[in-house]
């Protein structure tokens, strides 16, 4: 089988959720961000496992994601939609009981006219300039919405992966200025903010990447292992070249394994000639370009012909691979392709 296998450790995700939950006091509820199909790993399966473990608040990017998640979770858990209530979302939000985080006066008006009495939250912008109402707009809108019991008021930190960044305290102060004294549950922090300490926790936290084993949650348990099947192994004499544009030329006789996966599976072309795959504990350098469906790897030094080589696993997590590719672990995970066979490990803990 030339299909690569992506092993997803649900027990590790649950352990990460519990570890993050333990960082805040009992007055703070730990939610779970499962947008972008749980960062590429499978929101239905992961959402159900988290709900069984006790998560009651889930966050997605769009109403469509919320609709799919509701099918998986059934009634009960709250599903918050970061993009709020867009034109065309009304039926999904109403029928499936989603909670839009209203981002503007326009969205407030749309929601109150289309779905009066239906749950909603409010998103404030405290300096990131991306999503949510700023102070002046909020002051105008607050008298309208506060009487209707918003489920949550939230904002998002721009620099929380850097604990020393002065932006964190500035946004915290702005959030408090905009929300202190209101009788509404508050949420400011994703994974990074959760790690900044108690004054950032408020009533609800919203970790995403930390659940999936990524930085800035350094103590996270690794979650993914991606094993690529070896399709063919050949001897390449010194002087011959490998792959597109002859990008690699053998200086000595070597043995090259061709594995099944490529940039169409989210393994970025920038990994060509730079990344390392692993045969168990032994590193094997990628040689030549990354093709759409294939990668070539120098396995001259291996005692035996490998059946598979790992590009993500115990020796190389998403953040390590991201360093090589010049990106972040989030992008490595969310790029993981649709062609992988996703295998879930659950119930072994
Ligand atoms: C993606 C996102 C999160 C989760 O962020 P992580 O850094 O993955 O923990 C939380 N809140 C909002 C608004 C987001 O967009």
């Amino acid at each position: 089988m030339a299909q690569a296998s992506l092993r997803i450790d649900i027990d590790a995700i649950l352990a990460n959720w519990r570890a993050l939950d333990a960082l805040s006091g009992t007055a703070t509820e730990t939610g779970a961000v499962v947008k972008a199909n749980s960062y590429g790993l499978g929101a239905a399966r992961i959402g159900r496992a988290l709900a069984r473990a006790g998560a009651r608040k889930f966050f997605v990017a769009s109403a469509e994601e919320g609709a799919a998640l509701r099918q998986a979770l059934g009634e009960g858990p709250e599903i918050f939609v970061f993009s709020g209530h867009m034109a065309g979302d009304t039926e999904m939000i109403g029928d499936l009981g989603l909670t839009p985080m209203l981002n503007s006066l326009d969205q407030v008006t749309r929601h109150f006219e289309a779905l009066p009495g239906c749950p909603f939250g409010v998103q404030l912008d405290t300096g990131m300039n991306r999503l949510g109402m700023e102070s002046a707009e909020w002051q105008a809108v607050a008298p309208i919405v506060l009487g209707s019991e918003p489920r949550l008021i939230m904002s998002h930190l721009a620099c929380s992966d850097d604990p020393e960044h002065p932006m964190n305290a500035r946004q915290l102060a702005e959030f408090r200025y905009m929300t202190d004294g209101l009788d509404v549950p508050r949420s400011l922090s994703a994974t990074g903010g959760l790690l900044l300490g108690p004054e950032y926790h408020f009533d609800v936290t919203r970790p995403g990447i930390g659940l999936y084993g990524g930085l800035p949650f350094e103590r996270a348990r690794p979650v993914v292992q991606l094993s690529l099947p070896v399709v063919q192994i050949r001897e390449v004499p010194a002087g011959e070249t490998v792959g597109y544009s002859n990008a690699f030329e053998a200086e000595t006789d070597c043995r090259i394994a061709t594995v099944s996966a490529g940039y169409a599976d989210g393994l970025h072309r920038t990994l060509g000639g730079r990344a390392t795959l692993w045969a168990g504990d032994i590193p094997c350098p990628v040689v030549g370009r990354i093709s759409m469906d294939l990668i070539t790897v120098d396995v001259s030094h291996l005692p035996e012909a490998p059946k598979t080589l790992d590009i993500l696993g115990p020796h190389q997590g998403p953040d390590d691979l991201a360093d090589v590719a010049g990106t972040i672990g989030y992008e490595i995970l969310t790029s993981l392709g649709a062609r992988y066979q996703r295998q879930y490990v659950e119930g072994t803990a």
Side-chain angles (χ1 to χ4, degrees), residues 244-255:
Y244 283 121
S245 308
N246 292 358
F248 173 78
E249 184 176 329
E251 283 176 14
T252 56
D253 293 353
C254 60
R255 187 174 306 132

Side-chain angles (χ1 to χ4, degrees), residues 228-236 242 248 252-259 275-280 282-287 295-310:
L228 313 181
V230 175
V231 181
Q232 211 179 5
I233 295 185
R234 73 182 64 244
E235 307 297 329
V236 175
V242 175
F248 173 78
T252 56
D253 293 353
C254 60
R255 187 174 306 132
I256 299 297
T258 303
V259 300
T276 302
L277 273 59
W278 294 81
I282 310 174
C284 306
V286 168
V287 296
I295 297 174
T296 39
V297 187
D298 188 346
V299 294
S300 309
H301 54 303
L302 296 185
E304 283 174 42
K307 289 206 167 50
T308 62
L309 294 169
D310 289 352

Side-chain angles (χ1 to χ4, degrees), residues 98-275:
L98 309 178
T99 307
M101 300 304 298
L102 304 178
N103 287 298
S104 62
L105 175 57
D106 274 359
Q107 289 200 348
V108 169
T109 307
R110 180 179 295 127
H111 188 73
F112 279 43
E113 281 177 1
L115 295 171
C118 285
F120 68 94
V122 171
Q123 185 157 198
L124 302 178
D125 192 292
T126 50
M128 193 173 182
N129 282 312
R130 192 179 70 165
L131 214 50
M133 290 177 253
E134 295 183 24
S135 191
E137 191 175 15
W138 172 231
Q139 273 171 31
V141 165
I144 309 172
V145 303
L146 286 174
S148 304
E149 294 184 22
R151 296 294 170 97
L152 190 68
I153 297 187
M154 62 165 271
S155 188
H156 193 50
L157 298 169
C159 305
S160 66
D161 57 340
D162 176 4
E164 306 304 323
H165 204 296
M167 185 69 168
N168 297 321
R170 248 186 286 155
Q171 286 192 269
L172 175 62
E174 178 71 3
F175 188 58
R176 298 200 63 141
Y177 167 74
M178 290 168 83
T179 62
D180 268 357
L182 302 178
D183 187 21
V184 180
R186 294 188 284 182
S187 175
L188 179 60
S189 288
T191 304
L194 218 168
L195 298 168
L196 293 178
E199 72 265 41
Y200 288 85
H201 293 166
F202 294 92
D203 302 293
V204 178
T205 57
R206 311 185 307 271
I209 193 72
L211 307 177
Y212 311 114
L215 290 176
F217 187 32
E218 286 172 12
R219 293 195 291 109
R221 250 174 71 177
V223 167
V224 290
Q225 179 160 12
L226 178 54
S227 303
L228 313 181
V230 175
V231 181
Q232 211 179 5
I233 295 185
R234 73 182 64 244
E235 307 297 329
V236 175
E240 290 199 8
T241 57
V242 175
Y244 283 121
S245 308
N246 292 358
F248 173 78
E249 184 176 329
E251 283 176 14
T252 56
D253 293 353
C254 60
R255 187 174 306 132
I256 299 297
T258 303
V259 300
S260 176
Y263 61 77
D265 304 291
L267 301 174
H268 303 280
R269 270 182 91 250
T270 51
L271 296 169
R274 298 162 63 171

Side-chain angles (χ1 to χ4, degrees), residues 6 35-42 209 224 226 261-271 292 311-312 318 321-322 325-340 342:
L6 177 61
K35 64 190 180 187
N37 197 26
S38 274
Y39 294 40
L41 302 181
I209 193 72
V224 290
L226 178 54
Y263 61 77
D265 304 291
L267 301 174
H268 303 280
R269 270 182 91 250
T270 51
L271 296 169
M292 185 184 295
I311 189 159
L312 292 172
L321 193 62
T327 179
I328 53 177
Y330 296 76
E331 193 183 10
I332 296 291
L333 288 179
T334 55
S335 303
L336 291 172
R339 292 196 288 192
Y340 301 132
R342 283 164 169 73

